[in-house]
Amino acid sequence: MATVGFFWYYGSPKYTDVGYRPIQPVPFSHKLHAGDLGMDCRYCHSKVEKSTHANVPPTQTCMNCHKLILPESEKLLPVRESYATGRPIEWTRVHMLPDYAYFDHSAHLRAGVGCVSCHGRIDRMDVVQQAEPLSMSWCLDCHRQPQKHLRPVNQITNMDWQPSAEQISFAEKQIKELNINPPVDCSGCHR
């Protein structure tokens, strides 16, 4: 039984995926941009509320600021080269779901699930790392009891938002008003 437990834990996404933080082609600091400068997630990930996928920002988004801010920085050389050539930067994906799992960012944000629920405190990460296991059981736990993850829709990117003492009643009201009914059957995520 101990052997099964050993492999169950050490082979699970909680052990293998949480903490994953690949080296990126540009040392982009979410702590600086989203934390210290207070940039909203949606400035760079502009399609996240409308698309099933959170987009990786095009180089033009970076250059909106970096034409003027640190335009000669050695760290930003790949950004300037991408901008000049039109070739996108090849970022390494951090938060990965298997191809057979369907996930819609926009549906979660419309329901009031904040970025921090799945991605952790990105605003405190110099190097982005996976904060949650993103496993099927982890997702199903939230789908079965979404109340603690719901917040006002206008607070989805607020990393400092904290639930009030009335969180459960607020969430129940939001579930009713927004007709939130997270699927818990296989076809909800496996299409």
Side-chain angles (χ1 to χ4, degrees):
M1 188 64 169
T3 305
V4 172
F6 175 84
F7 285 106
W8 176 81
Y9 177 74
Y10 290 104
S12 73
K14 191 172 200 167
Y15 185 79
T16 61
D17 296 353
V18 172
Y20 172 64
R21 53 188 228 171
I23 295 172
Q24 299 290 359
V26 178
F28 181 86
S29 171
H30 278 79
K31 180 186 178 303
L32 171 65
H33 292 83
D36 300 344
L37 297 175
M39 292 175 66
D40 189 290
C41 305
R42 296 167 292 195
Y43 180 76
C44 297
H45 301 284
S46 58
K47 306 274 192 265
V48 73
E49 290 180 286
K50 302 171 194 106
S51 174
T52 57
H53 296 86
N55 63 298
V56 173
T59 305
Q60 173 61 50
T61 301
C62 306
M63 292 303 291
N64 287 341
C65 297
H66 287 295
K67 283 181 188 175
L68 301 173
I69 299 168
L70 301 173
E72 302 299 321
S73 169
E74 192 66 30
K75 291 179 181 178
L76 296 173
L77 181 60
V79 175
R80 291 192 304 276
E81 287 176 353
S82 170
Y83 184 66
T85 64
R87 273 183 303 208
I89 296 171
E90 293 189 29
W91 298 99
T92 302
R93 205 163 164 187
V94 177
H95 300 88
M96 295 176 279
L97 292 178
D99 289 340
Y100 55 80
Y102 175 78
F103 178 84
D104 185 336
H105 268 91
S106 64
H108 287 80
L109 296 177
R110 277 193 309 272
V113 176
C115 304
V116 73
S117 289
C118 301
H119 297 290
R121 289 300 303 256
I122 291 285
D123 62 324
R124 296 179 181 167
M125 297 181 194
D126 275 315
V127 178
V128 171
Q129 68 178 27
Q130 188 168 325
E132 299 294 345
L134 307 181
S135 63
M136 186 170 81
S137 63
W138 182 82
C139 293
L140 281 170
D141 287 345
C142 184
H143 277 218
R144 289 179 180 129
Q145 295 182 316
Q147 292 82 351
K148 65 182 178 180
H149 296 283
L150 298 179
R151 57 176 67 197
V153 175
N154 66 357
Q155 297 295 314
I156 56 174
T157 62
N158 180 352
M159 297 287 166
D160 292 319
W161 182 87
Q162 292 294 316
S164 70
E166 295 83 33
Q167 175 63 18
I168 299 301
S169 61
F170 159 77
E172 292 298 337
K173 182 180 175 196
Q174 186 151 323
I175 286 169
K176 187 177 276 186
E177 287 177 2
L178 298 178
N179 194 28
I180 297 170
N181 186 19
V184 292
D185 58 17
C186 301
S187 65
C189 301
H190 301 287
R191 299 177 179 184

